[in-house]
Amino acid sequence: MGRPKQALITRKAATLAALAAIDAEGLESFSLNSVARSIGVKAPSLYYHFHDKAELLAEVARLLLSKSNYRQVGKEHWEDSTLKLCFETRRALLEHPNAAPLILQFFPRHLLLDAYEAAIAGYPETRSLHMAILEGIEKLTFGSALFAAAAKTAGVSAMPHITPDDYPNLAASVAASQFDDDGNFLEALRMFLAGVRVRTQAMAN
């Protein structure tokens, strides 16, 4: 389908409308027609900015990821920056759980290379470990976000109800936990970073 000669909307307006439609309807029901209706245009008007539905959805995924303040990375110690960036990224995805699976479809590394470039610049000097560090940080953050988002959209608790009689070890650990879901994520990330510290120091010696 050809593009109209003049833009009736902005790319940002269309992206925001698409995100709102996904929030309301879910990804399975998402359509260009619903986006167009919400901003008072016809669907072909969207082709002025996007080649197809996939390009619009990729822009929605980029919007979600860009809600974290990655441009501030490097202004403090890399571990502190990483904790903040990962927490903000996870929270941004959980604000829009219906849209969160888009990052599996369009891949964060493909969407925001400048964010990765900024983050990795502050990593420890042991460059041979940088990609392993990135792998761990990325998978902890997006894995945690996607599991939590899936539970949220399904309306179930991430941890099912358990009783000490049936699951004594799990029940004791849940009862002893000091953190909520956000806190558990941050603590897991701190533990990973502590391991990175030990590993990089060992390789430097």
Side-chain angles (χ1 to χ4, degrees), residues 27-139:
L27 275 172
E28 291 184 359
S29 300
F30 175 80
S31 70
L32 294 181
N33 284 330
S34 63
V35 175
R37 281 195 305 271
S38 71
I39 49 181
V41 299
K42 295 186 182 297
S45 297
L46 297 172
Y47 289 97
Y48 186 89
H49 297 290
F50 306 98
H51 289 290
D52 52 26
K53 178 180 174 181
E55 186 180 350
L56 175 54
L57 288 174
E59 195 62 22
V60 172
R62 183 179 286 107
L63 174 64
L64 289 178
L65 294 172
S66 66
K67 288 188 173 188
S68 59
N69 197 13
Y70 67 87
R71 291 179 179 83
Q72 295 299 313
V73 169
K75 296 187 177 181
E76 54 192 338
H77 189 272
W78 82 275
E79 290 188 18
D80 295 328
S81 294
T82 296
L83 286 168
K84 288 182 181 178
L85 179 63
C86 293
F87 183 78
E88 290 173 0
T89 299
R90 181 178 181 273
R91 177 157 287 182
L93 292 172
L94 291 181
E95 286 177 358
H96 305 278
N98 284 342
L102 287 174
I103 64 168
L104 290 176
Q105 185 175 347
F106 296 104
F107 311 111
R109 294 182 188 181
H110 290 236
L111 295 171
L112 284 180
L113 274 178
D114 53 341
Y116 283 82
E117 173 69 13
I120 212 165
Y123 283 7
E125 293 182 2
T126 314
R127 192 169 289 276
S128 61
L129 291 179
H130 281 191
M131 292 311 297
I133 295 170
L134 179 62
E135 184 77 11
I137 291 169
E138 187 181 54
K139 297 308 182 287

